Amino acid sequence: MRQVLEFEKPVIALREKIAELKKFTTDSDLDLSEEIVKLETRLEKLENDIYTNLKPWDRVQMARHADRPTTLDYIEHLFTDFLEFHGDRYYGDDAAIVAGIAKYKGQPVTVVGHQRGKSTKENIRRNFGMPHPEGFRKAARHMQQAAKFGRPIICFIDTKGAFPGRAAEERGQSEAIARNLMEMAGFEVPIICIVIGEGGSGGALALGVGDRLLMLENSTFSVISPEGAASILWKDGGKAKEAAEKLKITAQDLKELGVIDNIIPEVRGGAHRDLASQAELVDRAITDNLAQLEKMDKQVLLEKRWEKYSNIGAYTE
Amino acid sequence: MLKDFFSKKKHASKPSEEAKQDIPEGLMLKCSSCGKIYYREEMRKQLYVCQKCGHHHQLPSDERINSLFDEGSFLEYDTNLETGNPLEFPSYSQKLEKDQLKTELKEAVVTGEGTINGFRTAFAVMDSRFRMASMGSVVGEKIARALEKAREENIPFIIFTASGGARMQEGALSLMQMAKTSAAVQRFRDAGGLMISVMTNPTYGGVSASFASLGDYNFAEPGALIGFAGRRVVEETIREKLPEDFQTAEFLLEHGQLDAVINRHDMKKYLTTILDIHQAGGNVS
């Protein structure tokens, strides 16, 4: 069954009502088309009201929606000749991250992204998109290769965070993330990072250092999950909704704080409503940004990347 | 009676309220590991390392700096950076003020330069007494600037890390300090700079997953707890009991995550040897 979000319920109810009336009109002699038009206008207005006034917590729900498009969904729509490659060459292959090479409008690129599952079975295989060190090291390996062969790198961010497990700690979760942050700062090719769902903490940032950090309109990017923050700050995980507001985790807030470069709009009702149209919106963002970045020579690219990160922060002097 | 001697008394070691009042605040210190009682001054001279069990207690940043750098050589960088409250997070400013009063520090890291047995070195020392040395904008900015300074001056950079992780009250701005500091390490490395990271208790989260793990050499003090996720979070996630020594410096050494574990008393000599070898190699001016 399709997942219904709390704030969408009035929309769903009205839609069902319209569908019911339409069916009634076709099945019986009674003509209700005038009534239907009236309700459709109301639906239009209601949808507009709801989707242009989403609260941070609503967006958290949207970002976590079970049907929300994943990295592999976007790869299928945006690239051709995608070849997925596996393994970090040290320990194993982490299915929570996918990586490979492809063509973007004819141009060779390297694509890396967190990958969660849509079904329980796939989610278990992919560890709910929460990587171990070998996932980050696989990503690093492919990005190093991209730098070697001069291919731009496109990263899709979609994770609750790096996996907090015993094996992950034993194999150097911290070092794996840290190394990605450092190396991504120095690759001499354009890097575009796009938050498509949840961007949770260091595990998200480990694919998030580049020339552009873009966020889908209803995605989130945060230092800690709202639940985690609520439980630490107020010893009450139930205050997650409040924490979501205070932490400033929406694309709109983060653009204002100077953390991200731009927002990619979503189709009405969220990316999961229409993958093909959503992919077009992402496509446009990649094309525009790639064109800007490819004009720069390597030195300028790196200098601007450093400037961008060295300017993030709030302090007075 | 011998039997009494072996029976457990619930509050045997807890001083009475009256006894507590007899001892001036902070005159005595108790080793949190073995329970041995010390005069504070005696403990201070021992760099807060218990003489009985070797436990390394928290060392205030000023005392760490004094223990390592040649007398009169210390020059502090960036003393004017002030933390704001960018998210207007409830009670954040008050918490900062409280820790500033308590520690006489402005923020959780002190940066600067000095000489260690004559070797000029830039450094950063984090101080966990201040907001658990969590990484906010000022911490990230000061560390990045110290790295840039070391790069420009062509001198080594040594960092003593300690941190509970991110400064939650600064939200994603805190998270992005991981990227900023790591990018600064990248530039420093690219220029051939020598970076030494010494992790002290505790080094977690965003600090562990950025500059702390990016030294040419990564060391730790004995018994220091180091990790990405905290023990409790890991236990709750995997629903299994973790070994006693999980995430200790010794555990990390065994798992190949550290170059060495170094006793605080040996630190100056050890670092001197590294600086000396590197100078002979030509990387250090």
Side-chain angles (χ1 to χ4, degrees):
Chain A
M1 215 190 88
R2 218 184 160 95
Q3 185 190 354
V4 175
L5 305 175
E6 194 57 39
F7 62 88
E8 289 186 305
K9 279 185 178 160
V11 175
I12 307 281
L14 195 54
R15 273 224 198 96
E16 274 166 9
K17 180 88 189 159
I18 292 168
E20 205 178 290
L21 291 187
K22 276 185 179 163
K23 187 167 182 293
F24 197 75
T25 306
T26 8
D27 293 353
S28 73
D29 297 337
L30 235 113
D31 183 14
L32 295 168
S33 46
E34 211 172 296
E35 193 68 16
I36 290 169
V37 170
K38 234 189 254 172
L39 285 181
E40 277 176 339
T41 319
R42 215 164 93 198
L43 178 67
E44 170 80 20
K45 194 179 168 304
L46 186 68
E47 280 199 322
N48 210 34
D49 279 355
I50 288 179
Y51 293 119
T52 51
N53 289 304
L54 289 179
K55 297 276 177 292
W57 186 245
D58 300 333
R59 296 195 201 270
V60 170
Q61 303 310 309
M62 201 83 111
R64 292 174 179 172
H65 198 290
D67 300 326
R68 194 164 172 88
T70 65
T71 295
L72 283 174
D73 291 326
Y74 287 112
I75 287 176
E76 197 191 319
H77 276 77
L78 296 170
F79 305 98
T80 52
D81 297 330
F82 174 68
L83 299 174
E84 186 185 349
F85 302 131
H86 298 275
D88 69 343
R89 299 296 184 274
Y90 299 113
Y91 182 82
D93 182 45
D94 188 346
I97 284 185
V98 293
I101 57 173
K103 278 188 179 165
Y104 179 68
K105 304 195 161 123
Q107 179 186 4
V109 291
T110 285
V111 190
V112 180
H114 301 98
Q115 184 64 43
R116 56 184 177 78
K118 286 189 177 171
S119 63
T120 307
K121 197 177 157 200
E122 203 199 347
N123 253 326
I124 288 166
R125 184 168 86 81
R126 298 197 179 275
N127 201 29
F128 296 81
M130 300 169 84
H132 280 73
E134 41 277 19
F136 297 121
R137 289 178 182 139
K138 169 166 73 176
R141 195 168 70 80
H142 286 96
M143 292 191 282
Q144 285 155 5
Q145 205 184 71
K148 177 182 172 188
F149 294 109
R151 292 191 290 264
I153 300 167
I154 315 288
C155 292
F156 293 102
I157 296 168
D158 187 15
T159 184
K160 288 186 185 306
F163 187 65
R166 175 179 175 168
E169 293 290 325
E170 287 175 346
R171 296 200 288 272
Q173 189 72 291
S174 285
E175 195 272 347
I177 294 170
R179 184 161 295 274
N180 275 21
L181 304 180
M182 179 179 75
E183 293 200 0
M184 289 179 86
F187 291 137
E188 294 176 332
V189 291
I191 305 175
I192 298 175
C193 310
I194 307 170
V195 187
I196 57 172
E198 271 186 286
S201 190
L205 192 63
L207 300 185
V209 178
D211 305 295
R212 294 286 186 273
L213 180 56
L214 312 174
M215 279 178 80
L216 258 60
E217 191 184 335
N218 297 314
S219 63
T220 59
F221 186 67
S222 178
V223 68
I224 185 170
S225 71
E227 289 85 352
S231 108
I232 291 173
L233 288 169
W234 304 304
K235 315 268 175 264
D236 181 1
K239 285 189 175 169
K241 199 171 167 179
E242 197 183 330
E245 305 204 348
K246 296 270 187 293
L247 282 170
K248 307 252 192 269
I249 61 176
T250 65
Q252 298 71 23
D253 281 335
L254 293 168
K255 175 87 171 48
E256 220 163 277
L257 283 170
V259 169
I260 65 163
D261 298 286
N262 256 316
I263 301 170
I264 301 175
E266 286 192 26
V267 296
R268 179 184 276 181
H272 58 283
R273 285 284 175 79
D274 183 351
L275 172 59
S277 306
Q278 189 58 53
E280 269 175 44
L281 292 165
V282 175
D283 191 17
R284 210 168 301 158
I286 295 176
T287 302
D288 291 352
N289 285 288
L290 204 52
Q292 293 163 17
L293 297 172
E294 289 198 307
K295 275 189 216 137
M296 300 177 196
D297 74 45
K298 287 178 188 173
Q299 238 19 57
V300 175
L301 189 74
L302 287 192
E303 204 52 47
K304 283 200 178 287
R305 194 181 299 162
W306 164 246
E307 248 171 55
K308 168 176 147 68
Y309 285 96
S310 64
N311 283 332
I312 300 178
Y315 55 86
T316 51
E317 197 173 5
Chain B
M1 287 285 287
L2 196 63
K3 210 171 120 196
D4 288 344
F5 188 76
F6 283 109
S7 73
K8 273 189 193 167
K9 279 184 200 154
K10 230 178 172 181
H11 300 294
S13 60
K14 210 174 167 187
S16 68
E17 281 306 308
E18 217 173 298
K20 263 191 202 164
Q21 281 163 10
D22 284 347
I23 306 168
E25 176 82 26
L27 184 65
M28 306 298 284
L29 284 176
K30 187 170 138 187
C31 174
S32 58
S33 179
C34 72
K36 188 173 159 59
I37 310 271
Y38 289 91
Y39 281 109
R40 180 179 283 274
E41 190 51 30
E42 185 190 356
M43 193 66 147
R44 204 178 65 82
K45 278 187 192 145
Q46 292 301 323
L47 301 174
Y48 300 89
V49 177
C50 177
Q51 279 172 283
K52 188 174 162 214
C53 73
H55 185 77
H56 283 51
H57 298 90
Q58 192 180 52
L59 177 65
S61 48
D62 55 335
E63 298 191 42
R64 179 165 321 262
I65 291 165
N66 288 335
S67 78
L68 293 168
F69 290 88
D70 305 334
E71 214 181 317
S73 73
F74 169 48
L75 168 74
E76 190 173 351
Y77 297 159
D78 300 305
T79 52
N80 299 324
L81 264 60
E82 300 263 357
T83 304
N85 187 358
L87 309 191
E88 290 167 10
F89 214 91
S91 71
Y92 180 39
S93 303
Q94 289 89 311
K95 281 177 177 161
L96 289 171
E97 262 171 51
K98 202 176 131 206
D99 281 8
Q100 281 165 347
L101 278 173
K102 188 181 80 187
T103 62
E104 296 179 4
L105 294 167
K106 267 192 162 168
E107 253 292 351
V109 69
V110 178
T111 57
E113 63 170 78
T115 58
I116 299 179
N117 284 321
F119 294 103
R120 190 179 163 216
T121 307
F123 69 87
V125 176
M126 302 181 82
D127 198 318
S128 58
R129 294 173 305 158
F130 191 101
R131 300 268 88 227
M132 224 24 231
S134 55
M135 180 155 62
S137 297
V138 168
V139 170
E141 180 67 17
K142 283 180 84 171
I143 290 169
R145 285 192 192 183
L147 277 156
E148 281 289 282
K149 182 86 175 160
R151 184 176 67 85
E152 285 157 15
E153 298 286 321
N154 194 23
I155 52 177
F157 179 75
I158 303 181
I159 185 157
F160 288 83
T161 69
S163 185
R167 182 79 56 88
M168 233 183 314
Q169 295 89 343
E170 293 189 29
L173 290 173
S174 163
L175 181 63
M176 297 311 272
Q177 302 310 308
M178 291 171 71
K180 180 197 280 186
T181 52
S182 301
V185 174
Q186 193 277 329
R187 281 162 68 84
F188 181 60
R189 264 189 181 226
D190 212 36
L194 163 68
M195 172 163 159
I196 301 171
S197 168
V198 183
M199 294 176 238
T200 74
N201 189 45
T203 296
Y204 274 91
V207 165
S208 161
S210 60
F211 52 84
S213 298
L214 295 174
D216 294 292
Y217 305 102
N218 294 332
F219 302 122
E221 288 191 331
L225 291 172
I226 301 157
F228 180 66
R231 182 190 187 98
R232 193 176 54 85
V233 174
V234 175
E235 272 181 341
E236 278 170 13
T237 305
I238 61 174
R239 292 171 202 284
E240 82 181 59
K241 193 125 177 57
L242 293 163
E244 191 74 12
D245 67 343
F246 184 66
Q247 293 183 329
T248 59
E250 294 73 17
F251 179 91
L252 264 74
L253 184 71
E254 196 182 310
H255 283 88
Q257 305 298 330
L258 290 174
D259 286 291
V261 176
I262 305 166
N263 193 295
R264 198 175 282 163
H265 291 301
D266 303 331
M267 193 67 75
K268 184 165 181 173
K269 188 164 173 281
Y270 199 97
L271 293 175
T272 304
T273 306
I274 294 177
L275 294 170
D276 182 44
I277 289 173
H278 272 264
Q279 190 182 47
N283 257 345
V284 183
S285 65

